[in-house]
């Protein structure tokens, strides 16, 4: 029996095809990979798995193709305790995929194919009303039709559910959407795209976050990669530095952070402490290869906190 979920995650499910290379290819360049991995991914699916492994009760909403990859995606989610009742098949569509190249420093280059993710409809979202009736948080990204994403936000807000929007990729949201958000989370590139500011320092990241806050969300978080994260709110502006680790693969680190913030703030109600912990969880994730394979359990995170040393 599926229990009520505290956290609902709406969005993309992709199978990741990951190559590990000596350097990221330039335009027109062909290079050989040193190793290859196929693993479940997709921003939303990563976030659902990350929150579940930390101990939240999670339900996933999205679509996969009627193909072998889609069957595998749902099986992986179910193995991690994610409620997949609302992960539907999309007849005639392929499951979404991502091709990812990762260099020795853990930096990556990603190309995604939306596939079945693009067929998530407003009717699909309306069917999740029973989940929204008991949920506390909804997480979404914008790897879907924009009107569908905006409908999720409005429906969740009407249900009294707190909304965490990871605005990736950047789309021109209706200005009335921003005040409905509990948390707006973007990385440096996305913050720059949204504000027109070149982000090259903590000060410029803070300036961008303050501009985004004026749009109306409760709080804004700008993730800064190896430099941690910046929180900006009505009465707070705080930078969180991550522990230093040996990065192997940054794939899904941002998704890990989004899920961890949501998990910890739901558990404690303390946003500042939730961000501090989420920065640590994301740092642990980059010491491992792959998207979902890199996402830590709570036991692994607690061990990491005790040692603050992780072998690559």
């Amino acid at each position: 029996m599926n229990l009520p979920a505290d956290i609902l995650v709406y969005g993309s499910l992709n199978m990741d095809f990951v190559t590990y290379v000596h350097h990221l290819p330039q335009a027109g360049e062909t290079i050989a990979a040193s190793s290859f991995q196929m693993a479940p991914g997709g921003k939303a699916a990563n976030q659902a798995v990350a929150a579940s492994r930390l101990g939240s009760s999670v339900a996933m909403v999205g679509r996969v193709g009627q193909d072998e990859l889609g069957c595998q995606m749902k099986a992986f989610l179910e193995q991690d305790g994610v409620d997949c009742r609302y992960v539907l098949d999309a007849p005639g569509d392929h499951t979404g995929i991502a091709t990812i190249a990762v260099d020795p420093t853990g930096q990556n280059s990603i190309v995604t194919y939306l596939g079945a993710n693009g067929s998530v409809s407003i009717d699909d979202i309306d069917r999740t009303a029973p989940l929204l009736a008991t949920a506390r948080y909804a997480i979404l990204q914008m790897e879907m039709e924009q009107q569908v994403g905006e409908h999720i936000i409005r429906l969740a807000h009407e249900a009294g559910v707190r909304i965490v929007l990871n605005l990736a990729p950047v789309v021109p949201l209706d200005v009335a959407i921003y005040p409905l958000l509990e948390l707006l989370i973007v990385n440096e590139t996305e913050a720059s795209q949204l504000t027109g500011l070149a982000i090259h320092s903590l000060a410029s990241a803070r300036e961008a976050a303050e501009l985004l806050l004026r749009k109306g969300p409760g709080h804004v978080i700008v993730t800064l990669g190896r430099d941690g994260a910046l929180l900006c709110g009505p009465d707070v502006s705080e930078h969180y530095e991550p522990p230093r680790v040996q990065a192997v693969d940054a794939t899904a680190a941002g998704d890990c952070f989004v899920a961890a913030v949501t998990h910890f703030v739901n558990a404690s109600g303390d946003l500042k402490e939730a961000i501090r912990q989420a920065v640590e969880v994301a740092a642990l994730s980059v010491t491992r290869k792959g998207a979902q394979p890199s996402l830590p359990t709570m036991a692994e995170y607690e061990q990491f906190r005790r040692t603050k040393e992780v072998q690559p």
Side-chain angles (χ1 to χ4, degrees), residues 123-275:
D123 285 344
D124 292 342
I125 305 310
D126 287 343
R127 293 189 189 102
T128 67
L131 295 177
L132 287 167
T134 57
R136 300 187 65 187
Y137 279 86
I139 303 174
L140 73 153
Q141 328 70 34
M142 294 306 295
E143 289 183 324
M144 63 182 76
E145 294 293 331
Q146 181 177 335
Q147 63 177 352
V148 174
E150 292 182 347
H151 184 71
I152 293 167
I153 293 168
R154 293 189 180 99
L155 193 67
H157 179 73
E158 290 170 3
V161 176
R162 298 175 179 89
I163 302 156
V164 178
L165 174 61
N166 178 207
L167 190 46
V170 169
V171 297
L173 289 179
D174 183 334
V175 294
I177 289 293
Y178 287 97
L180 308 183
L181 306 177
E182 180 89 0
L183 281 176
L184 172 64
I185 304 178
V186 291
N187 64 21
E188 295 164 283
T189 300
E190 293 149 1
S192 181
Q193 291 172 346
L194 285 164
T195 63
L197 294 176
I199 297 177
H200 49 74
S201 64
L202 184 59
S204 55
R206 182 172 284 111
E207 183 180 359
E210 289 172 350
L211 285 175
L212 292 172
L213 189 65
R214 293 175 194 170
K215 293 178 178 286
H219 290 84
V220 173
I221 300 173
V222 179
T223 58
L224 305 170
R226 66 188 64 187
D227 293 320
L230 176 70
L231 168 66
C232 187
D235 302 308
V236 63
S237 179
E238 192 163 337
H239 177 227
Y240 300 81
E241 290 192 19
R244 295 303 170 188
V245 297
Q246 181 63 50
V248 172
D249 185 353
T251 305
D255 301 329
C256 182
F257 175 85
V258 170
V261 166
T262 309
H263 166 80
F264 287 119
V265 76
N266 180 50
S268 70
D270 185 337
L271 179 58
K272 292 181 180 180
E273 178 63 12
I275 297 171

